[in-house]
Amino acid sequence: MTDKLCIVVTEGTFDKATMSLMLATTAAATGTEVHVFYSFFGTKLVTKKVNPKLPGMWRLLTGMFVKRMKGIGLGSYLEMMQQAKDLGVSFYACSTTMQLMGVKETDLLPGTKVLGAAAFLKLASESQTTLFIG
Amino acid sequence: MQRDGTLDARGLMCPMPIVQLARRVKEMKTGQVLELLADDIGAKEDVPAWCSRTGNELVGTEEEGKILKFYIKMK
């Protein structure tokens, strides 16, 4: 049976967005089946208008981080997202959060599935590892 | 060491060397040896971990200054 990894992301800041994608991408590159579930403020990371910034005062330095990351071979957030998708990572948006925040299915990045807690917990129960990033 | 191909991941930081390695491996045949060049110090632990997780065999490592060389035999 293939290994499974679940990641829960509840914050929409650049650091958490990037961190979760790096782990997802690495796991997928290692042959692991990866599921990333975005809830609360994380949900905006799977919307078309996504443009994550660092938290607090660091926000102002986001551009510098992006530039430095380019220098070490890492793409922009959307490029990393695409790379993860190409490696077979599955992305999910929390249905309740979508209701709470007025996010429509058409606002989501293509390929993002809408899930409820029960469906995600089922995936998590079948996984060897579940990581919470929030 | 004898090799059938080289992947130059110098200048790339984690997780890019592993991501590129996973891509390249798909183009290789069983028994072939791929040489991976990296200068991300994280690769020292990452490459052996990737090999043991994926079942490819790490048949040799070399260090040349800051350059790490890994020789991976395809499963």
Side-chain angles (χ1 to χ4, degrees):
Chain A
M1 209 180 87
T2 30
D3 277 351
K4 258 194 213 179
L5 166 70
C6 283
I7 303 177
V8 187
V9 186
T10 64
E11 290 282 355
T13 50
F14 180 81
D15 48 333
K16 283 159 185 167
T18 309
M19 178 70 197
S20 46
L21 276 187
M22 281 181 175
L23 290 171
T25 305
T26 308
T30 311
T32 301
E33 187 183 308
V34 187
H35 303 274
V36 192
F37 185 65
Y38 293 89
S39 180
F40 263 82
F41 302 108
T43 308
K44 67 181 172 193
L45 294 175
V46 278
T47 60
K48 286 170 188 158
K49 283 183 193 160
V50 62
N51 184 21
K53 301 265 191 252
L54 285 163
M57 287 292 282
W58 285 92
R59 181 183 179 87
L60 305 167
L61 297 175
T62 307
M64 191 192 78
F65 268 70
V66 171
K67 218 170 160 185
R68 283 198 182 173
M69 282 170 63
K70 280 226 165 91
I72 51 174
L74 297 163
S76 68
Y77 175 75
L78 280 175
E79 282 164 357
M80 288 174 72
M81 192 94 189
Q82 189 55 50
Q83 189 174 60
K85 273 183 194 160
D86 292 345
L87 284 161
V89 175
S90 305
F91 294 100
Y92 307 96
C94 160
S95 56
T96 305
T97 306
M98 285 172 66
Q99 282 277 326
L100 283 172
M101 298 195 171
V103 177
K104 294 187 208 76
E105 235 180 309
T106 49
D107 298 332
L108 297 175
L109 286 171
T112 310
K113 279 180 239 159
V114 179
L115 277 195
F120 175 71
L121 287 172
K122 181 175 178 289
L123 281 172
S125 72
E126 296 159 358
S127 308
Q128 285 76 12
T129 313
T130 298
L131 301 173
F132 185 90
I133 298 180
Chain B
M1 191 175 280
Q2 200 199 324
R3 73 206 72 143
D4 302 290
T6 298
L7 172 63
D8 188 354
R10 287 176 296 176
L12 302 180
M13 293 289 139
C14 166
M16 292 318 291
I18 292 295
V19 172
Q20 297 219 345
L21 174 61
R23 276 200 192 137
R24 181 63 182 272
V25 158
K26 286 185 187 150
E27 298 163 14
M28 310 261 315
K29 294 188 188 85
T30 303
Q32 286 188 322
V33 174
L34 176 69
E35 176 187 50
L36 169 69
L37 307 177
D39 54 9
D40 167 21
I41 46 171
K44 250 186 195 174
E45 299 294 331
D46 277 358
V47 176
W50 181 87
C51 288
S52 92
R53 293 277 291 172
T54 56
N56 294 290
E57 190 189 349
L58 185 62
V59 289
T61 52
E62 281 173 27
E63 268 187 65
E64 225 178 78
K66 285 182 177 169
I67 312 296
L68 304 165
K69 294 180 175 180
F70 300 92
Y71 297 91
I72 303 154
K73 194 173 179 183
M74 302 298 120
K75 68 164 179 187

